[in-house]
Amino acid sequence: DAGVIQSPRHEVTEMGQEVTLRCKPISGHDYLFWYRQTMMRGLELLIYFNNNVPIDDSGMPEDRFSAKMPNASFSTLKIQPSEPRDSAVYFCASSFGGPAYEQYFGPGTRLTVT
Amino acid sequence: GESVGLHLPTLSVQEGDNSIINCAYSNSASDYFIWYKQESGKGPQFIIDIRSNMDKRQGQRVTVLLNKTVKHLSLQIAATQPGDSAVYFCAENTGNQFYFGTGTSLTVIP
């Protein structure tokens, strides 16, 4: 299995631009998670899905952030408009059976907003 | 002004020595715990887990100890190697809620 796949690996964009991060979970996993990691705040859970349905989005910072999961093999995290304080590494993870089980993390997308 | 980041606990050990990484958790109802390892430039990776009905679990070169009385979890790494240098996170789980700790940075000195 290729593991969790994220794209792009690096993204540099200007403030105000729309950014879309993509994730393909491990086949057969029914939970998908989006995290943000910064030096200031550590690893933060943004949102997670179960069977493509958003379950807990309380970690989404504000309306500029949105996430979708149109099918079991694809999810997007969109930031519109982006701001410099959104600069971080964004991880996608997936798990099987429940959010509290072992999560498999992707390699992350390093986002820089200038 | 000066930015302030998370102050990660750090641990430096000599190659070949044993390492002990500690984690205090907050919820006495937490029933499942996981240790993750995050190497530089990568996502966290599962190392070992333990359920609250156990107080010790062993893996390959790693042992997790759980002390529910004081809500403390530790990860012991035997014969630490340079490849063990990473940030280690504990995660506590209560039903469908889960929380990651801030992590401990381990540096192995060759």
Side-chain angles (χ1 to χ4, degrees), chain A residues 9 31 33 35 37-43 45 48 56 91 98-108, chain B residues 3-6 32 34 36 38 41-46 49 51 89 93-98 100-102:
Chain A
R9 293 295 310 278
Y31 284 81
F33 310 83
Y35 291 89
Q37 188 175 44
T38 63
M39 288 299 295
M40 293 288 290
R41 302 172 69 93
L43 191 65
L45 176 67
Y48 76 87
D56 183 354
F91 289 104
Y101 287 85
E102 176 187 351
Q103 296 182 25
Y104 294 78
F105 283 77
Chain B
S3 64
V4 179
L6 283 178
Y32 179 54
I34 302 176
Y36 288 89
Q38 185 176 20
K42 297 182 179 180
Q45 283 184 293
F46 172 92
D49 59 359
R51 298 205 172 271
F89 295 93
N93 304 279
T94 308
N96 283 339
Q97 301 295 316
F98 57 98
F100 281 86
T102 54

Side-chain angles (χ1 to χ4, degrees), chain A residues 41-53:
Chain A
R41 302 172 69 93
L43 191 65
E44 301 175 274
L45 176 67
L46 301 177
I47 186 171
Y48 76 87
F49 296 82
N50 174 219
N51 291 327
N52 315 336
V53 175

